[in-house]
Amino acid sequence: MTIDRAVMLFAGFMVLLSLALGFYLSPYWYLLAAFVGVNLMQASMTGFCPAARVFKMLGVKSGCAFD
């Protein structure tokens, strides 16, 4: 698995988790989904992704988007 795929997997998981927590616990959890979406847009425009840096430190091999 490359960093690119790991970031997409993590973002998708966080969105689904926040939707479930928002439905079952508190609507404030929907803010997490909004944060993930804003972070994805920011990463696509700037090329900087905090999750990609964490995955790189964990030893996940680089893909083409986050070198």
Side-chain angles (χ1 to χ4, degrees), residues 16-33:
L16 292 176
L17 177 67
S18 67
L19 291 175
L21 290 172
F23 183 77
Y24 290 111
L25 297 179
S26 169
Y28 289 113
W29 282 103
Y30 295 137
L31 294 173
L32 177 60

Side-chain angles (χ1 to χ4, degrees), residues 1-65:
M1 179 173 287
T2 64
I3 290 177
D4 306 338
R5 296 181 113 190
V7 167
M8 289 188 291
L9 178 67
F10 181 69
F13 174 76
M14 293 305 292
V15 168
L16 292 176
L17 177 67
S18 67
L19 291 175
L21 290 172
F23 183 77
Y24 290 111
L25 297 179
S26 169
Y28 289 113
W29 282 103
Y30 295 137
L31 294 173
L32 177 60
F35 173 76
V36 172
V38 168
N39 193 28
L40 285 169
M41 289 190 301
Q42 176 272 135
S44 71
M45 288 186 264
T46 66
F48 172 74
C49 179
R53 288 191 177 225
V54 171
F55 285 125
K56 188 172 187 174
M57 286 191 299
L58 293 173
V60 178
K61 63 182 176 179
S62 292
C64 58

